[in-house]
């Protein structure tokens, strides 16, 4: 095994020079490690620097400074080798309309020097649910199919790491679910997946780990669960059957609560009081719980809190 880390980035900086001699810092000394085997989400508002990050990895944009290692191999010094480890799907949907998916994959495999015997064109088309369209002209494919075709293209050289820049942008809800099913499958087969997205709900459901960048700066990086716990507020809604319970143990907790006819809403800061303490108080009060709902923090809440200036 080369390394447990799929991609390691240290002090990555990108300053674009614009037409009128102005400088634009798109990435400002970003350092982060992306673990092998994960589905990693790179999130950030428009213009945060997500595509710049991906395009530097893809060698479409030159970094200003910093170090990148891919599976322990230096990106700058061993670019050719490193490129074989990654399959990158850029944000733009450009596909040659006059070739069929089968032909496009064969051409791409040729570019990567994959010998004919080792090509897996049919297998990859099947994996991305494109087998029915193998021999249809690419121009007849829908947006969702084109996106999947681009993913298929990125996989012809069997890379360990698959990187997708806004894979579900402009893809309708149904196709999005289908696309994500395909991406799950690839992850289960052992691929490390890196995606950028601005659909936070999607990132919340799919990604094990998340980094948030804003104006070129890394502002958070952790497991999705830990990122969500950055918002120190949780709410429990208790539907009850009996009205003759003792509210005293709950009052003693000294936390925000609202008692209505058939429900009790408790709001608390997990950093100050444990869920267990609340459960104990509920038990002591002899409240007969009919139903209990915990209002989870949404990734969106954290995102908004962290990226507001
Ligand atoms: P994101 O993908 O998160 O929306 P980008 O990486 O595309 O962000 O852009 C980050 C910043 O860099 C933005 O302010 C954008 O305008 C700027 N930028 C991107 N590409 C160029 C370029 N080729 N020349 C100058 N500025 C650029
Ligand atoms: Mg982008």
């Amino acid at each position: 095994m080369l390394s447990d880390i799929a991609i390691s980035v240290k002090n990555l900086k990108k300053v674009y020079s614009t037409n009128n001699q102005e400088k634009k810092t798109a990435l400002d000394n970003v350092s982060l490690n992306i673990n092998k085997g994960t589905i990693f989400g790179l999130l950030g508002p428009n213009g945060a620097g997500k595509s710049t990050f991906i395009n530097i990895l893809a060698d479409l944009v030159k970094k200003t400074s910093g170090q990148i290692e891919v599976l322990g191999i230096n990106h700058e010094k061993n670019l050719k080798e490193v490129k074989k480890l990654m399959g990158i799907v850029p944000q733009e949907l450009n596909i040659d309309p006059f070739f069929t998916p089968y032909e496009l994959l064969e051409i791409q495999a040729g570019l990567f020097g994959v010998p004919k015997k080792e090509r897996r064109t049919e297998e990859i088309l099947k994996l991305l649910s494109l087998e029915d369209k193998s021999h249809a002209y690419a121009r007849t494919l829908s947006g969702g199919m084109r996106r999947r075709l681009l993913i298929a293209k990125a996989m012809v050289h069997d890379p360990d790491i698959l990187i997708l820049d806004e894979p579900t942008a402009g893809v309708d809800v149904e196709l999005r679910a289908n696309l994500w099913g395909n991406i799950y499958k690839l992850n289960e087969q052992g691929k490390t997946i890196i995606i950028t997205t601005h659909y936070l709900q999607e990132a919340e459901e799919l990604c094990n780990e998340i980094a948030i960048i804003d104006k070129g700066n890394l502002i958070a990086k952790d497991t999705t669960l830990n990122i969500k716990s950055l918002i120190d507020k949780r709410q429990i809604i208790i539907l009850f059957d009996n009205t003759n319970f003792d509210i005293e143990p709950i009052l003693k907790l000294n936390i925000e609560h609202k008692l209505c006819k058939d429900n009790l809403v408790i709001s608390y800061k997990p950093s100050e009081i444990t869920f267990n303490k609340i459960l104990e108080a509920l038990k002591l009060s002899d409240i007969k719980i009919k139903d209990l709902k915990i209002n989870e923090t949404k990734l969106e809440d954290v995102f908004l809190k962290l990226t507001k200036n």
Side-chain angles (χ1 to χ4, degrees), residues 44-52 54-55 91-92 165-166 196 198:
N46 252 333
K50 304 181 295 295
S51 291
T52 300
I54 304 294
N55 291 340
Q91 197 170 343
E92 279 77 37
D165 196 1
E166 304 270 359
T196 74
H198 59 266

Side-chain angles (χ1 to χ4, degrees), residues 235-254:
Q235 200 179 52
I236 308 171
I237 302 161
I238 300 138
L239 279 176
F240 51 77
D241 264 338
N242 60 333
T243 47
N244 59 339
F245 61 89
D246 178 14
I247 191 77
E248 200 53 40
I250 295 156
L251 293 179
K252 269 199 194 143
L253 292 174
N254 214 0

Side-chain angles (χ1 to χ4, degrees), residues 69-207:
E69 282 184 2
V70 179
L71 293 168
I73 301 169
N74 188 289
H75 184 277
E76 195 169 18
K77 291 186 191 139
N78 309 79
L79 193 57
K80 219 174 145 192
E81 195 180 340
V82 157
K83 276 188 174 178
K84 287 187 184 158
L85 301 173
M86 301 182 294
I88 302 185
V89 186
Q91 197 170 343
E92 279 77 37
L93 272 177
N94 40 23
I95 285 174
D96 195 322
F98 298 105
F99 288 99
T100 67
Y102 189 92
E103 288 164 341
L104 283 169
L105 261 54
E106 283 289 316
I107 292 166
Q108 186 77 1
L111 290 176
F112 269 95
V114 181
K116 278 241 180 331
K117 273 190 289 186
E118 287 171 26
R119 293 189 190 168
R120 303 171 305 133
T121 302
E122 268 152 25
E123 184 191 327
I124 296 170
L125 287 170
K126 189 143 186 270
L127 189 66
L128 275 306
S129 321
L130 282 169
E131 67 269 37
D132 293 345
K133 295 285 175 182
S134 296
H135 303 292
Y137 283 119
R139 64 170 183 272
T140 65
L141 303 183
S142 69
M145 290 173 185
R146 282 171 196 228
R147 187 68 70 182
R148 278 179 278 148
L149 177 53
L150 283 177
I151 299 174
K153 250 180 93 178
M155 290 185 52
V156 296
H157 57 296
D158 196 25
D160 290 329
I161 305 168
L162 193 62
I163 304 173
L164 307 118
D165 196 1
E166 304 270 359
T168 55
V171 175
D172 69 41
V173 178
E174 194 183 334
L175 286 173
R176 204 179 288 168
N178 176 306
L179 183 65
W180 277 114
N182 296 131
I183 287 173
Y184 264 138
K185 237 179 346 187
L186 294 172
N187 182 245
E188 274 165 18
Q189 292 181 355
K191 308 278 181 209
T192 301
I193 312 276
I194 300 171
I195 65 151
T196 74
T197 182
H198 59 266
Y199 294 108
L200 295 175
Q201 199 197 336
E202 191 168 72
E204 180 168 350
E205 277 171 37
L206 292 156
C207 300

Side-chain angles (χ1 to χ4, degrees), residues 14 16-19 24-27 43-53 55 61 91 165-166 196 213 216:
K14 174 64 191 179
Y16 289 107
S17 311
T18 56
N19 298 336
K24 168 83 209 174
T25 302
L27 291 174
L43 313 183
N46 252 333
K50 304 181 295 295
S51 291
T52 300
F53 184 90
N55 291 340
V61 166
Q91 197 170 343
D165 196 1
E166 304 270 359
T196 74
I213 56 170

